[in-house]
Amino acid sequence: LSALPGQSDVAAGDAAAARRELLAILDAELPAAFHDVARLRLARLDLAEGDAGAALARLDAIAGADGLPAVLELRGDALLASGDRDGARAAYDAAIDIDAGAGNPGRPLLEMKRDDLALAAAPESP
C-alpha cells in the first residue's frame, strides 16, 4: 500500500471516495484495530463536513478511546465545534496527560488548543 485507506482520496479532494473506502473497511472482516483507524478517519471527515455529532458517535465506537491521544484530541475538536468548551478542554487535557512525553511533536498543538480555550474565556481587561 502506498497510501493508507482514504488518504489519497482526501488529498485529491474526493472526500466521498475516501468515505466509501473507509466504510468498506468497517464492513470487512478485519482486526478491530483496522476498524478503529477507519472510525477515526471517518470522524475526521464528519467533523470536516460540519457534523460534530456524527464524529463524536464514531469516536465513541473506538475501543479504548479514552487512552488514545489522537482520539481524545479529535473528541476535543468535535466538542468545541458543538459548543462544549468545557468538554473540549477536558478532552485536550486528557490527551496531554496521556501523551506526556516532552519530545512528542503533537503536544505543542494540543497545548495551544487548550490554551486558546482559556484565552477565549478570559474576560477582557479594562
Side-chain angles (χ1 to χ4, degrees):
L1 277 181
S2 61
L4 297 169
Q7 186 176 24
S8 60
D9 294 321
V10 170
D14 192 350
R19 184 175 295 281
R20 284 191 301 275
E21 281 187 48
L22 293 167
L23 289 171
I25 290 170
L26 292 181
D27 289 337
E29 290 188 35
L30 294 168
F34 286 91
H35 290 174
D36 288 344
V37 169
R39 285 184 185 100
L40 179 63
R41 290 175 180 210
L42 282 164
R44 285 185 181 129
L45 286 173
D46 291 335
L47 188 57
E49 293 171 357
D51 194 345
L56 289 167
R58 286 199 204 278
L59 295 173
D60 287 343
I62 295 175
D66 290 341
L68 300 171
V71 174
L72 290 166
E73 179 179 3
L74 189 57
R75 179 180 305 284
D77 294 345
L79 288 168
L80 182 59
S82 66
D84 183 356
R85 298 176 61 78
D86 291 335
R89 185 177 298 107
Y92 294 148
D93 283 340
I96 290 167
D97 288 346
I98 291 168
D99 212 10
N104 176 0
R107 184 180 173 109
L109 178 60
L110 273 169
E111 290 174 344
M112 184 175 60
K113 287 180 179 184
R114 183 203 52 206
D115 295 347
D116 283 350
L117 285 171
L119 288 174
E124 290 186 29
S125 50

